[in-house]
Amino acid sequence: MSASTTHELDGVGVWGGGVTGGLVAGIAMGLVLHFGGDQIELLGGLAVDPELAVGAGWAIHLMISIAFGLVFATLVSRPAVQQLVTDFSDYIIAGLVFGAVIGLFAGGVLFPFAMERVGVATLPMPFLPVPGLTAELFGALLFGFGHLVYGLVLGAVFATINGIAPSGVREHVPVR
């Protein structure tokens, strides 16, 4: 069975892939951040009463995740990008790059801006019981890893929704 790597994206696949991919990737990333170092609680703590921080953090995180999923869908559906992104692994790579870029932007611009806006000079709680550089390094690594998880899942879900399967699957299952 010959595998074709060409594909066409339609509006439903692009926007459905962006919303669904953003939501699923946001849940995956959120689990990493929530259980890895309470970073979801930190996000919620910047916006509301600390008692509501976890729920607010999840709500804010998932809304942002869907919005970034739509940005990803917009970018990868452009004709110039479509010439470069031709198969499942290309969508994974595009997702990882996208996750890394938004991680750098969020960690370097948005998060510090939000902290300044609400008058927070330091994070409201430590990531680890160990003070100093170790906790900050762990938090930064976890934040970066979470964004890579987001990008990986986003690329995979977007490709799958648009009927683009890994080559091993195409060999065994007929895919459009």
Side-chain angles (χ1 to χ4, degrees):
M1 177 178 202
S2 67
S4 171
T5 59
T6 61
H7 61 280
E8 287 188 34
L9 301 177
D10 62 11
V12 173
V14 170
W15 304 120
V19 170
T20 306
L23 180 62
V24 173
I27 291 169
M29 176 186 173
L31 291 171
V32 169
L33 298 180
H34 182 85
F35 292 113
D38 294 328
Q39 288 186 5
I40 291 292
E41 186 174 355
L42 290 174
L43 178 60
L46 290 175
V48 298
D49 181 16
E51 292 177 10
L52 305 173
V54 174
W58 270 103
I60 293 166
H61 172 70
L62 292 177
M63 287 187 294
I64 292 169
S65 296
I66 291 169
F68 277 124
L70 290 169
V71 170
F72 178 79
T74 301
L75 293 173
V76 297
S77 66
R78 298 291 120 220
V81 176
Q82 281 293 294
Q83 292 176 353
L84 302 171
V85 181
T86 59
D87 63 13
F88 190 83
S89 61
D90 291 340
Y91 280 97
I92 297 293
I93 293 167
L96 286 169
V97 169
F98 185 76
V101 168
I102 64 171
L104 289 171
F105 181 70
V109 177
L110 291 180
F111 209 171
F113 175 75
M115 289 174 62
E116 182 181 320
R117 186 178 144 264
V118 296
V120 176
T122 62
L123 295 174
M125 63 183 70
F127 291 110
L128 291 173
V130 180
L133 181 64
T134 304
E136 291 171 6
L137 177 61
F138 176 78
L141 290 174
L142 183 70
F143 189 77
F145 178 70
H147 280 85
L148 292 177
V149 167
Y150 176 83
L152 179 110
V153 174
L154 176 62
V157 171
F158 183 87
T160 302
I161 285 177
N162 284 284
I164 303 154
S167 60
V169 172
R170 282 194 306 260
E171 294 170 6
H172 301 291
V173 179
V175 179
R176 68 170 164 137

